[in-house]
Amino acid sequence: MNRQIAFAALKISFPVFLGYMAIGIGFGILFSNAGYPWWLALVCSVFMYAGSGQYFAVALFSSGASLSEIFIVEFLLGIRHIFYGLSMISKYRGAGKYKPYLIFAITDETFALLQGVTVPKTVEKYSFYFLVSLFDHIYWCIGTVIGAAGYAILERCNLSGCLAGVDFALTSLFIVMLIEQLKVSKDFLPAIFGGVFGMLAVVLFKGGVFDSSNIIWTAICASLGAMFLVRGSHFFKAEEK
């Protein structure tokens, strides 16, 4: 693996660097704001590396969600990566020692880069794929550390108050994701069911029907059940499309 490959990978991944620094810093701040040590944010980014999944995990941990609830929510949130992996089978065939990490490091941005990139003729393609994936991962970790450590420093200096409201970053992120998904799919019914049953689950919690750890689980099951009742067998075909 030579400098030429590294330079080519850095060049193609630079746009991801700009995005991951901003989003990674936001995650680090949110993570520290939830009361966790800054170094644990880095551990989370190194071994979990799930972007929006990490943002959502902070809210789940803070709310005291059960392990089964966390698993289901994170699975549903990251289920699109199954299709990423399927579409990369031919591209990663023959990757050898790089393949385990390449599979682990598939994110929305890395997938977008590698799916459409033209590998320079002078570099070995699997080394190139590996370095692009690795650099993206490093960018995310750097952003995480800057955000988490920066918040910890501000907190020690009693200046963390200037970041009041940062916990709304998670809500903002998923509002943006929802809007983008609706713009592409033009299907508003799942969002409507999710919103209605989400509010209903909160009302039931406030009424003492069940505890807070069952809010998300109840909303997801009710929404899926409603979608199946309304669309029947066409529900799964619509999701595939």
Side-chain angles (χ1 to χ4, degrees):
M1 199 176 297
N2 54 38
R3 292 183 181 179
Q4 189 176 14
I5 300 177
F7 178 77
L10 279 171
K11 183 178 179 181
I12 195 67
S13 64
F14 183 71
V16 175
F17 166 77
L18 298 177
Y20 272 10
M21 287 299 290
I23 302 174
I25 288 173
F27 167 72
I29 293 173
L30 188 68
F31 195 88
S32 288
N33 183 60
Y36 299 106
W38 70 268
W39 57 266
L40 193 56
L42 175 60
V43 172
C44 184
S45 289
V46 169
F47 294 103
M48 186 177 180
Y49 189 36
S52 57
Q54 288 180 231
Y55 269 87
F56 210 97
V58 176
L60 292 172
F61 294 151
S62 300
S63 66
S66 64
L67 288 177
S68 59
E69 191 172 25
I70 292 173
F71 174 81
I72 292 171
V73 172
E74 291 290 344
F75 174 76
L76 292 174
L77 188 62
I79 199 169
R80 65 190 185 281
H81 288 82
I82 294 176
F83 302 100
Y84 290 171
L86 290 173
S87 65
M88 298 295 278
I89 288 177
S90 60
K91 188 176 285 287
Y92 286 170
R93 185 175 289 115
K97 62 181 180 181
Y98 298 126
K99 185 178 289 187
Y101 181 77
L102 289 173
I103 294 171
F104 164 76
I106 293 179
T107 62
D108 296 343
E109 294 75 15
T110 301
F111 171 77
L113 279 180
L114 296 182
Q115 184 67 14
V117 70
T118 299
V119 181
K121 294 180 180 180
T122 56
V123 304
E124 200 276 316
K125 65 177 181 178
Y126 297 121
S127 298
F128 176 76
Y129 295 155
F130 170 75
L131 282 181
V132 169
S133 302
L134 178 63
F135 286 152
D136 287 351
H137 194 176
I138 291 173
Y139 302 152
W140 177 257
C141 290
I142 292 173
T144 295
V145 171
I146 292 175
Y151 184 88
I153 293 171
L154 289 175
E155 195 171 35
R156 286 200 173 197
C157 299
N158 295 319
L159 296 174
S160 59
C162 66
L163 296 175
V166 70
D167 51 341
F168 189 69
L170 177 63
T171 305
S172 302
L173 174 67
F174 280 93
I175 289 174
V176 171
M177 290 176 64
L178 174 62
I179 292 173
E180 291 300 317
Q181 186 176 31
L182 291 177
K183 287 166 66 176
V184 173
S185 68
K186 309 296 184 182
D187 186 1
F188 294 87
L189 194 59
I192 292 172
F193 279 147
V196 170
F197 287 111
M199 289 187 287
L200 180 60
V202 172
V203 170
L204 292 174
F205 158 66
K206 293 293 185 180
V209 177
F210 47 68
D211 57 38
S212 61
S213 64
N214 292 315
I215 292 176
I216 297 176
W217 169 250
T218 302
I220 289 175
C221 289
S223 299
L224 290 174
M227 285 296 297
F228 185 75
L229 287 174
V230 170
R231 292 184 174 169
S233 60
H234 296 290
F235 169 58
F236 298 102
K237 294 178 182 178
E239 288 299 307
E240 256 181 40
K241 182 179 179 182

mmCIF file of all heavy atoms in Angstrom, residues 127-157:
data_model
loop_
_atom_site.group_PDB
_atom_site.id
_atom_site.type_symbol
_atom_site.label_atom_id
_atom_site.label_comp_id
_atom_site.label_asym_id
_atom_site.label_seq_id
_atom_site.Cartn_x
_atom_site.Cartn_y
_atom_site.Cartn_z
ATOM 1 N N SER A 127 -7.146 -2.216 -2.024
ATOM 2 C CA SER A 127 -6.448 -1.335 -1.084
ATOM 3 C C SER A 127 -7.091 0.046 -1.086
ATOM 4 O O SER A 127 -7.224 0.693 -0.049
ATOM 5 C CB SER A 127 -4.969 -1.210 -1.475
ATOM 6 O OG SER A 127 -4.313 -2.459 -1.407
ATOM 7 N N PHE A 128 -7.527 0.485 -2.266
ATOM 8 C CA PHE A 128 -8.183 1.777 -2.400
ATOM 9 C C PHE A 128 -9.518 1.773 -1.651
ATOM 10 O O PHE A 128 -9.818 2.706 -0.891
ATOM 11 C CB PHE A 128 -8.400 2.077 -3.883
ATOM 12 C CG PHE A 128 -9.161 3.338 -4.154
ATOM 13 C CD1 PHE A 128 -8.544 4.578 -4.033
ATOM 14 C CD2 PHE A 128 -10.500 3.289 -4.547
ATOM 15 C CE1 PHE A 128 -9.242 5.742 -4.290
ATOM 16 C CE2 PHE A 128 -11.199 4.447 -4.804
ATOM 17 C CZ PHE A 128 -10.572 5.674 -4.680
ATOM 18 N N TYR A 129 -10.333 0.723 -1.841
ATOM 19 C CA TYR A 129 -11.607 0.615 -1.135
ATOM 20 C C TYR A 129 -11.380 0.623 0.378
ATOM 21 O O TYR A 129 -12.124 1.269 1.134
ATOM 22 C CB TYR A 129 -12.332 -0.679 -1.513
ATOM 23 C CG TYR A 129 -12.766 -0.774 -2.947
ATOM 24 C CD1 TYR A 129 -12.951 -2.019 -3.563
ATOM 25 C CD2 TYR A 129 -13.016 0.370 -3.714
ATOM 26 C CE1 TYR A 129 -13.359 -2.122 -4.884
ATOM 27 C CE2 TYR A 129 -13.413 0.273 -5.040
ATOM 28 C CZ TYR A 129 -13.583 -0.978 -5.615
ATOM 29 O OH TYR A 129 -13.985 -1.080 -6.919
ATOM 30 N N PHE A 130 -10.354 -0.116 0.803
ATOM 31 C CA PHE A 130 -10.055 -0.209 2.228
ATOM 32 C C PHE A 130 -9.693 1.154 2.809
ATOM 33 O O PHE A 130 -10.192 1.546 3.873
ATOM 34 C CB PHE A 130 -8.910 -1.198 2.454
ATOM 35 C CG PHE A 130 -8.361 -1.178 3.862
ATOM 36 C CD1 PHE A 130 -9.060 -1.764 4.900
ATOM 37 C CD2 PHE A 130 -7.141 -0.568 4.128
ATOM 38 C CE1 PHE A 130 -8.558 -1.740 6.200
ATOM 39 C CE2 PHE A 130 -6.621 -0.544 5.414
ATOM 40 C CZ PHE A 130 -7.335 -1.125 6.454
ATOM 41 N N LEU A 131 -8.833 1.894 2.121
ATOM 42 C CA LEU A 131 -8.395 3.189 2.643
ATOM 43 C C LEU A 131 -9.519 4.220 2.648
ATOM 44 O O LEU A 131 -9.618 5.023 3.579
ATOM 45 C CB LEU A 131 -7.200 3.714 1.840
ATOM 46 C CG LEU A 131 -5.850 3.089 2.176
ATOM 47 C CD1 LEU A 131 -4.738 3.702 1.334
ATOM 48 C CD2 LEU A 131 -5.530 3.273 3.659
ATOM 49 N N VAL A 132 -10.357 4.209 1.630
ATOM 50 C CA VAL A 132 -11.497 5.130 1.619
ATOM 51 C C VAL A 132 -12.387 4.844 2.832
ATOM 52 O O VAL A 132 -12.806 5.767 3.549
ATOM 53 C CB VAL A 132 -12.310 5.003 0.319
ATOM 54 C CG1 VAL A 132 -13.630 5.769 0.434
ATOM 55 C CG2 VAL A 132 -11.510 5.534 -0.866
ATOM 56 N N SER A 133 -12.673 3.563 3.073
ATOM 57 C CA SER A 133 -13.507 3.177 4.218
ATOM 58 C C SER A 133 -12.841 3.550 5.533
ATOM 59 O O SER A 133 -13.485 4.060 6.461
ATOM 60 C CB SER A 133 -13.784 1.671 4.185
ATOM 61 O OG SER A 133 -14.422 1.291 2.981
ATOM 62 N N LEU A 134 -11.531 3.308 5.627
ATOM 63 C CA LEU A 134 -10.799 3.603 6.850
ATOM 64 C C LEU A 134 -10.740 5.104 7.118
ATOM 65 O O LEU A 134 -10.956 5.555 8.247
ATOM 66 C CB LEU A 134 -9.383 3.042 6.756
ATOM 67 C CG LEU A 134 -8.471 3.312 7.963
ATOM 68 C CD1 LEU A 134 -9.034 2.648 9.214
ATOM 69 C CD2 LEU A 134 -7.052 2.804 7.686
ATOM 70 N N PHE A 135 -10.472 5.900 6.087
ATOM 71 C CA PHE A 135 -10.410 7.353 6.269
ATOM 72 C C PHE A 135 -11.761 7.899 6.726
ATOM 73 O O PHE A 135 -11.822 8.763 7.609
ATOM 74 C CB PHE A 135 -9.967 8.035 4.980
ATOM 75 C CG PHE A 135 -8.504 7.865 4.668
ATOM 76 C CD1 PHE A 135 -8.052 7.880 3.352
ATOM 77 C CD2 PHE A 135 -7.574 7.699 5.674
ATOM 78 C CE1 PHE A 135 -6.704 7.727 3.053
ATOM 79 C CE2 PHE A 135 -6.221 7.534 5.395
ATOM 80 C CZ PHE A 135 -5.784 7.550 4.079
ATOM 81 N N ASP A 136 -12.840 7.406 6.123
ATOM 82 C CA ASP A 136 -14.165 7.854 6.545
ATOM 83 C C ASP A 136 -14.394 7.536 8.022
ATOM 84 O O ASP A 136 -14.959 8.347 8.772
ATOM 85 C CB ASP A 136 -15.255 7.184 5.697
ATOM 86 C CG ASP A 136 -15.308 7.742 4.284
ATOM 87 O OD1 ASP A 136 -14.626 8.743 4.011
ATOM 88 O OD2 ASP A 136 -16.031 7.158 3.447
ATOM 89 N N HIS A 137 -13.979 6.346 8.435
ATOM 90 C CA HIS A 137 -14.125 5.927 9.828
ATOM 91 C C HIS A 137 -13.304 6.844 10.742
ATOM 92 O O HIS A 137 -13.781 7.277 11.805
ATOM 93 C CB HIS A 137 -13.659 4.473 9.971
ATOM 94 C CG HIS A 137 -14.074 3.837 11.258
ATOM 95 N ND1 HIS A 137 -13.817 2.500 11.532
ATOM 96 C CD2 HIS A 137 -14.695 4.323 12.364
ATOM 97 C CE1 HIS A 137 -14.280 2.211 12.724
ATOM 98 N NE2 HIS A 137 -14.813 3.297 13.256
ATOM 99 N N ILE A 138 -12.095 7.158 10.332
ATOM 100 C CA ILE A 138 -11.228 8.040 11.124
ATOM 101 C C ILE A 138 -11.832 9.440 11.238
ATOM 102 O O ILE A 138 -11.811 10.054 12.314
ATOM 103 C CB ILE A 138 -9.819 8.114 10.494
ATOM 104 C CG1 ILE A 138 -9.104 6.762 10.664
ATOM 105 C CG2 ILE A 138 -8.992 9.230 11.143
ATOM 106 C CD1 ILE A 138 -7.778 6.674 9.927
ATOM 107 N N TYR A 139 -12.400 9.948 10.134
ATOM 108 C CA TYR A 139 -13.028 11.272 10.172
ATOM 109 C C TYR A 139 -14.130 11.304 11.228
ATOM 110 O O TYR A 139 -14.252 12.265 12.002
ATOM 111 C CB TYR A 139 -13.641 11.632 8.815
ATOM 112 C CG TYR A 139 -12.687 11.638 7.648
ATOM 113 C CD1 TYR A 139 -13.149 11.360 6.352
ATOM 114 C CD2 TYR A 139 -11.328 11.900 7.812
ATOM 115 C CE1 TYR A 139 -12.295 11.370 5.269
ATOM 116 C CE2 TYR A 139 -10.456 11.898 6.729
ATOM 117 C CZ TYR A 139 -10.952 11.633 5.455
ATOM 118 O OH TYR A 139 -10.092 11.630 4.388
ATOM 119 N N TRP A 140 -14.939 10.256 11.224
ATOM 120 C CA TRP A 140 -16.043 10.185 12.179
ATOM 121 C C TRP A 140 -15.525 10.155 13.620
ATOM 122 O O TRP A 140 -16.060 10.840 14.499
ATOM 123 C CB TRP A 140 -16.900 8.953 11.893
ATOM 124 C CG TRP A 140 -18.027 8.765 12.866
ATOM 125 C CD1 TRP A 140 -18.080 7.886 13.899
ATOM 126 C CD2 TRP A 140 -19.260 9.495 12.894
ATOM 127 N NE1 TRP A 140 -19.267 8.009 14.576
ATOM 128 C CE2 TRP A 140 -20.012 8.994 13.979
ATOM 129 C CE3 TRP A 140 -19.798 10.513 12.104
ATOM 130 C CZ2 TRP A 140 -21.275 9.481 14.305
ATOM 131 C CZ3 TRP A 140 -21.058 10.998 12.431
ATOM 132 C CH2 TRP A 140 -21.786 10.488 13.516
ATOM 133 N N CYS A 141 -14.484 9.375 13.859
ATOM 134 C CA CYS A 141 -13.912 9.266 15.210
ATOM 135 C C CYS A 141 -13.302 10.590 15.655
ATOM 136 O O CYS A 141 -13.440 10.995 16.823
ATOM 137 C CB CYS A 141 -12.860 8.157 15.246
ATOM 138 S SG CYS A 141 -13.536 6.481 15.085
ATOM 139 N N ILE A 142 -12.622 11.284 14.744
ATOM 140 C CA ILE A 142 -12.026 12.582 15.088
ATOM 141 C C ILE A 142 -13.119 13.580 15.476
ATOM 142 O O ILE A 142 -13.008 14.296 16.482
ATOM 143 C CB ILE A 142 -11.191 13.133 13.909
ATOM 144 C CG1 ILE A 142 -9.940 12.271 13.696
ATOM 145 C CG2 ILE A 142 -10.782 14.586 14.172
ATOM 146 C CD1 ILE A 142 -9.148 12.652 12.460
ATOM 147 N N GLY A 143 -14.177 13.634 14.686
ATOM 148 C CA GLY A 143 -15.281 14.531 15.002
ATOM 149 C C GLY A 143 -15.901 14.203 16.350
ATOM 150 O O GLY A 143 -16.215 15.104 17.144
ATOM 151 N N THR A 144 -16.051 12.910 16.625
ATOM 152 C CA THR A 144 -16.609 12.475 17.904
ATOM 153 C C THR A 144 -15.768 12.952 19.074
ATOM 154 O O THR A 144 -16.288 13.481 20.065
ATOM 155 C CB THR A 144 -16.706 10.929 17.935
ATOM 156 O OG1 THR A 144 -17.648 10.500 16.956
ATOM 157 C CG2 THR A 144 -17.143 10.442 19.303
ATOM 158 N N VAL A 145 -14.453 12.764 18.987
ATOM 159 C CA VAL A 145 -13.551 13.161 20.068
ATOM 160 C C VAL A 145 -13.565 14.678 20.277
ATOM 161 O O VAL A 145 -13.612 15.157 21.410
ATOM 162 C CB VAL A 145 -12.111 12.676 19.775
ATOM 163 C CG1 VAL A 145 -11.131 13.275 20.787
ATOM 164 C CG2 VAL A 145 -12.039 11.158 19.841
ATOM 165 N N ILE A 146 -13.544 15.423 19.180
ATOM 166 C CA ILE A 146 -13.570 16.881 19.297
ATOM 167 C C ILE A 146 -14.842 17.342 20.018
ATOM 168 O O ILE A 146 -14.795 18.181 20.931
ATOM 169 C CB ILE A 146 -13.481 17.545 17.908
ATOM 170 C CG1 ILE A 146 -12.099 17.305 17.291
ATOM 171 C CG2 ILE A 146 -13.747 19.050 18.009
ATOM 172 C CD1 ILE A 146 -11.972 17.815 15.869
ATOM 173 N N GLY A 147 -15.979 16.778 19.619
ATOM 174 C CA GLY A 147 -17.234 17.169 20.239
ATOM 175 C C GLY A 147 -17.333 16.760 21.697
ATOM 176 O O GLY A 147 -17.692 17.577 22.562
ATOM 177 N N ALA A 148 -16.989 15.500 21.999
ATOM 178 C CA ALA A 148 -17.118 14.988 23.368
ATOM 179 C C ALA A 148 -16.107 15.634 24.309
ATOM 180 O O ALA A 148 -16.459 16.071 25.409
ATOM 181 C CB ALA A 148 -16.942 13.473 23.368
ATOM 182 N N ALA A 149 -14.837 15.697 23.872
ATOM 183 C CA ALA A 149 -13.803 16.294 24.719
ATOM 184 C C ALA A 149 -14.043 17.800 24.876
ATOM 185 O O ALA A 149 -13.837 18.364 25.957
ATOM 186 C CB ALA A 149 -12.425 16.037 24.119
ATOM 187 N N GLY A 150 -14.476 18.452 23.789
ATOM 188 C CA GLY A 150 -14.755 19.882 23.866
ATOM 189 C C GLY A 150 -15.859 20.189 24.859
ATOM 190 O O GLY A 150 -15.758 21.138 25.645
ATOM 191 N N TYR A 151 -16.901 19.380 24.856
ATOM 192 C CA TYR A 151 -18.000 19.588 25.799
ATOM 193 C C TYR A 151 -17.517 19.351 27.231
ATOM 194 O O TYR A 151 -17.890 20.102 28.148
ATOM 195 C CB TYR A 151 -19.155 18.654 25.491
ATOM 196 C CG TYR A 151 -20.366 18.895 26.371
ATOM 197 C CD1 TYR A 151 -21.334 19.814 25.998
ATOM 198 C CD2 TYR A 151 -20.519 18.211 27.583
ATOM 199 C CE1 TYR A 151 -22.437 20.059 26.807
ATOM 200 C CE2 TYR A 151 -21.615 18.447 28.398
ATOM 201 C CZ TYR A 151 -22.567 19.372 28.008
ATOM 202 O OH TYR A 151 -23.646 19.615 28.829
ATOM 203 N N ALA A 152 -16.684 18.305 27.425
ATOM 204 C CA ALA A 152 -16.170 18.013 28.761
ATOM 205 C C ALA A 152 -15.331 19.179 29.293
ATOM 206 O O ALA A 152 -15.408 19.531 30.479
ATOM 207 C CB ALA A 152 -15.336 16.731 28.727
ATOM 208 N N ILE A 153 -14.530 19.776 28.415
ATOM 209 C CA ILE A 153 -13.704 20.926 28.816
ATOM 210 C C ILE A 153 -14.593 22.109 29.188
ATOM 211 O O ILE A 153 -14.376 22.787 30.211
ATOM 212 C CB ILE A 153 -12.724 21.316 27.691
ATOM 213 C CG1 ILE A 153 -11.688 20.211 27.497
ATOM 214 C CG2 ILE A 153 -12.038 22.640 28.002
ATOM 215 C CD1 ILE A 153 -10.807 20.402 26.278
ATOM 216 N N LEU A 154 -15.594 22.392 28.385
ATOM 217 C CA LEU A 154 -16.515 23.494 28.670
ATOM 218 C C LEU A 154 -17.252 23.261 29.986
ATOM 219 O O LEU A 154 -17.494 24.202 30.756
ATOM 220 C CB LEU A 154 -17.525 23.647 27.533
ATOM 221 C CG LEU A 154 -16.989 24.199 26.213
ATOM 222 C CD1 LEU A 154 -18.090 24.164 25.145
ATOM 223 C CD2 LEU A 154 -16.480 25.628 26.390
ATOM 224 N N GLU A 155 -17.581 21.999 30.246
ATOM 225 C CA GLU A 155 -18.287 21.675 31.481
ATOM 226 C C GLU A 155 -17.400 21.926 32.697
ATOM 227 O O GLU A 155 -17.873 22.428 33.727
ATOM 228 C CB GLU A 155 -18.742 20.214 31.440
ATOM 229 C CG GLU A 155 -19.779 19.864 32.483
ATOM 230 C CD GLU A 155 -20.363 18.484 32.263
ATOM 231 O OE1 GLU A 155 -19.625 17.585 31.824
ATOM 232 O OE2 GLU A 155 -21.564 18.309 32.526
ATOM 233 N N ARG A 156 -16.124 21.589 32.582
ATOM 234 C CA ARG A 156 -15.192 21.827 33.686
ATOM 235 C C ARG A 156 -15.006 23.313 33.951
ATOM 236 O O ARG A 156 -14.746 23.733 35.078
ATOM 237 C CB ARG A 156 -13.829 21.197 33.388
ATOM 238 C CG ARG A 156 -13.820 19.685 33.501
ATOM 239 C CD ARG A 156 -12.427 19.156 33.675
ATOM 240 N NE ARG A 156 -12.401 17.738 33.939
ATOM 241 C CZ ARG A 156 -11.351 17.098 34.451
ATOM 242 N NH1 ARG A 156 -10.255 17.770 34.744
ATOM 243 N NH2 ARG A 156 -11.394 15.798 34.662
ATOM 244 N N CYS A 157 -15.113 24.089 32.905
ATOM 245 C CA CYS A 157 -14.954 25.546 33.033
ATOM 246 C C CYS A 157 -16.292 26.234 33.297
ATOM 247 O O CYS A 157 -16.389 27.467 33.222
ATOM 248 C CB CYS A 157 -14.335 26.118 31.759
ATOM 249 S SG CYS A 157 -12.687 25.478 31.381
#
